[in-house]
Amino acid sequence: MQRAADATPSIAIIVLTWNGRELTLDCLRSLDAVTTPGVRVIVVDNASSDGTADAIRSQYGGRITLIENPTNAGFAAGNNAGIERALRDGADFILLLNNDTLVAPDFVDRLLEPLRDAPDIGITAPKIYFAEPRDRIWFAGGVISMWKGTARHIGIRETDRGQYDRERDIDYATGCALLARRTVFETAGTLDPAYRAYFEDADLCVRARRAGFRIRYVPAARVWHRISASTGGQLSRRKITRKLASAARFFAHHARPYHWLTIPFFFVLDVLRIAGLVLAGRIRDTNPRTPESNV
């Protein structure tokens, strides 16, 4: 008789979208090729006005669970609607995935392997590339420095030459693509909607680690993120302001008093770095209602 532990697990993939119809449909077509049994997709639409929900219903019908939020709930609350639905439906694992991504067909299998082998691993993260050029790294693990007051991607903008091909524990996984056990959310909680944008993922991972879970980087799992390789994403004053506000909240909550002996110094350095980007023309005012944004 087969043991229950050997049964096919249920994996819910949550894709959050707001006015990103074409990006979302491309992401869903990418997920159509995923080979892992037990996978189902939940799309959470944050009150799009571009016909995203109708397009998904037309193309996928009941094959995809569609949650339509009455307002734009933002990244954390939007994803939480999907997480809570997945938990109610009995999902064993929950995968958060940005709608502006394309995935390798075996990426879920690869992310599941460490979770099956080690019960103390709670979250796994793939290697994430820029969409163009396809060998340019966007994320090869996340590292948090409480002394510096920073959370950064390892390997960002580097050409992949295999330098980050070793599986290892990391400080945090990016909410762009992470797979978690249901027990992570049951124990550590869901995403904190008090973060309007950014650091929700780092906050979740810190809470998970304090609850006894490890975060694992899995380079064999591959995802491509459709953002600008030259800037690491669309840089704007709005984005920078939100990042700084979220960083202040994150480190005020998680850093120890002695970390604040050095955080202000590195904060000033970061402000000077950003000022340099502004002067160089790499940070610009942009329309905040871009189709790619979920917030």
Side-chain angles (χ1 to χ4, degrees), residues 11-253:
I11 305 112
I13 300 179
I14 297 169
V15 179
L16 177 68
T17 182
W18 176 64
N19 287 341
R21 181 180 58 191
E22 298 309 317
L23 286 175
T24 303
L25 291 175
D26 283 348
C27 178
L28 296 178
R29 282 189 282 269
S30 174
L31 290 173
D32 284 341
V34 168
T35 56
T36 311
V39 167
R40 64 188 184 87
V41 176
I42 299 173
V43 175
V44 181
D45 183 66
N46 260 345
S48 295
S49 58
D50 67 346
T52 296
D54 288 340
I56 291 170
R57 273 192 294 268
S58 174
Q59 296 192 28
Y60 288 92
R63 289 187 292 138
I64 284 178
T65 299
L66 178 62
I67 298 173
E68 295 181 71
N69 287 333
T71 61
N72 184 354
F75 183 84
N79 272 299
N80 284 346
I83 293 168
E84 289 158 7
R85 174 63 181 269
L87 292 173
R88 288 197 304 271
D89 290 350
D92 299 301
F93 299 94
I94 297 173
L95 196 158
L96 305 185
L97 186 69
N98 271 20
N99 71 319
D100 58 356
T101 58
L102 302 171
V103 304
D106 66 345
F107 92 114
V108 177
D109 286 322
R110 299 292 191 174
L111 290 173
L112 279 173
E113 287 173 4
L115 294 164
R116 287 169 166 155
D117 294 341
D120 62 335
I121 294 177
I123 296 174
T124 53
K127 181 188 288 184
I128 304 175
Y129 298 92
F130 290 96
E132 293 294 338
R134 287 178 63 83
D135 63 348
R136 187 76 54 81
I137 295 169
W138 184 73
F139 178 88
V143 59
I144 297 170
S145 172
M146 292 295 178
W147 290 104
K148 292 183 178 181
T150 59
R152 63 176 181 85
H153 291 194
I154 296 169
I156 188 167
R157 302 184 191 89
E158 294 182 24
T159 299
D160 186 11
R161 299 184 178 87
Q163 67 270 43
Y164 301 112
D165 279 355
R166 181 177 63 85
E167 189 176 303
R168 65 188 186 280
D169 284 2
I170 55 177
D171 290 340
Y172 75 97
T174 171
C176 173
L178 68 82
L179 178 64
R181 299 181 188 275
R182 68 174 291 125
T183 50
V184 168
F185 297 110
E186 291 172 335
T187 305
T190 55
L191 298 173
D192 184 353
Y195 292 91
R196 178 58 182 160
Y198 311 109
F199 281 85
E200 305 96 330
D201 42 17
D203 174 73
L204 171 66
C205 289
V206 168
R207 287 185 278 122
R209 288 166 56 209
R210 288 177 178 170
F213 294 103
R214 293 158 58 200
I215 318 296
R216 194 76 170 166
Y217 164 65
V218 185
R222 296 170 299 149
V223 171
W224 287 265
H225 196 187
R226 297 171 74 171
I227 57 176
S228 169
S230 63
T231 63
Q234 186 182 52
L235 288 173
S236 66
R237 287 177 174 84
R238 179 173 179 264
K239 177 175 179 178
I240 292 300
T241 299
R242 285 190 168 186
K243 275 194 168 184
L244 290 175
S246 292
R249 176 179 177 80
F250 176 84
F251 289 103
H253 186 64

Side-chain angles (χ1 to χ4, degrees), residues 235-237 240 271-285:
L235 288 173
S236 66
R237 287 177 174 84
I240 292 300
V271 169
L272 292 174
R273 178 185 66 84
I274 292 168
L277 292 173
V278 171
L279 292 173
R282 292 185 59 192
I283 293 178
R284 59 196 181 278
D285 285 319

